[in-house]
Amino acid sequence: GDSVTQMEGPVTLSEEAFLTINCTYTATGYPSLFWYVQYPGEGLQLLLKATKADDKGSNKGFEATYRKETTSFHLEKGSVQVSDSAVYFCALSANFGNEKLTFGTGTRLTIIP
Amino acid sequence: EAGVVQSPRYKIIEKKQPVAFWCNPISGHNTLYWYLQNLGQGPELLIRYENEEAVDDSQLPKDRFSAERLKGVDSTLKIQPAELGDSAVYLCASSLDAASETQYFGPGTRLLVL
């Protein structure tokens, strides 16, 4: 079945550091890929998405590129801020008329000033 | 625009008691999802509705869990009787329709079964 494997956390970085959170997936066909973020005390929010190979999703300085050859969708940001502290979830949607999201286990990110 | 509303936000019950969670999706969203999120894990789909029809309930433990969306708007998820292992966060999400890939999540209901 479909699955998503995420870099285990927690991850702690200093402000302005470069961030990478790795995500790889297993799916049949051509899934859409997502990054969701969960800030403390809030619900999951869509951060960015990509629907086909080589697409790049971007939002709030975060980027991720859909790499079919490596089945990856790594999240990156060039300079993190304290406000980026949250839990980040990689997810896929299989696009077979089955619109459920399959999530990774989440990566907790803490940015220290 | 109001987001997905869930209540209660927190619930503490004793095992074997019943519990119910309520979700109001974003206005106009036809598709509604209930997810279960265990501690340290990603959400897992329990049930998906298209309007009032449950189109995917394959992961819903039907011996103790039930859900309804009678008028195709609000939805209720019930557990009866609750077990210790049901302690988790129950998330509701909605999307415009089945073809829309973006799901909007509510804040969740955190359940603790003692």
Side-chain angles (χ1 to χ4, degrees), chain A residues 32 34 36 38 41 43-44 46 49 51 89 95 97 99-101 103-105, chain B residues 9 33 35 37 40-43 45 48 56 91 98 101-103 105-107:
Chain A
S32 293
F34 306 82
Y36 276 81
Q38 190 170 33
L44 286 163
L46 178 65
K49 70 177 184 181
T51 58
F89 291 91
N95 287 341
E99 286 71 31
K100 77 170 187 177
L101 288 168
F103 286 88
T105 54
Chain B
R9 291 293 307 274
Y33 313 76
Y35 286 87
Q37 186 177 16
Q41 300 295 315
L45 182 71
R48 175 169 66 96
D56 183 358
L91 297 170
E101 291 185 311
T102 300
Q103 297 182 23
F105 284 80

